[in-house]
Amino acid sequence: MDAYKKLVVLRRVMINLKSGTAIEGVVTTSRGPLLEVKDAVAHQEGSEPTRVDGVVIVAKADIDFTQLF
């Protein structure tokens, strides 16, 4: 298991994307270049946070940085 996987899987995080959007939620799996996030909330500048139904898949290449809670 890689170090990144040990740090983030099954933890609540704020994933800040290179696009400027942030995804808050619980990382449930990390497989290769992808993260699966459940119980997600999308944060975009200039608008209220929006709860996301289902699962959000995030490409690790699109991540600027990750905050652990």
Side-chain angles (χ1 to χ4, degrees), residues 3-41:
Y4 189 81
K5 191 180 231 181
K6 285 182 181 181
L7 283 174
V8 301
V9 173
L10 300 180
R11 295 203 45 191
R12 180 159 289 280
V13 299
M14 177 74 76
I15 300 170
N16 295 277
L17 303 174
K18 293 176 183 174
S19 67
T21 299
I23 304 294
E24 176 185 358
V26 177
V27 176
T28 54
T29 60
S30 174
R31 292 191 186 137
L34 303 174
L35 292 177
E36 180 180 275
V37 182
K38 290 186 178 177
D39 190 28
V41 177

Side-chain angles (χ1 to χ4, degrees), residues 24 41-44 47-51:
E24 176 185 358
V41 177
H43 298 265
Q44 292 183 316
S47 64
E48 293 294 317
T50 305
R51 183 153 304 278

Side-chain angles (χ1 to χ4, degrees), residues 37-67:
V37 182
K38 290 186 178 177
D39 190 28
V41 177
H43 298 265
Q44 292 183 316
E45 189 175 341
S47 64
E48 293 294 317
T50 305
R51 183 153 304 278
V52 180
D53 291 333
V55 176
V56 175
I57 304 298
V58 178
K60 290 178 185 174
D62 295 334
I63 297 173
D64 192 19
F65 63 96
T66 303
Q67 296 167 273

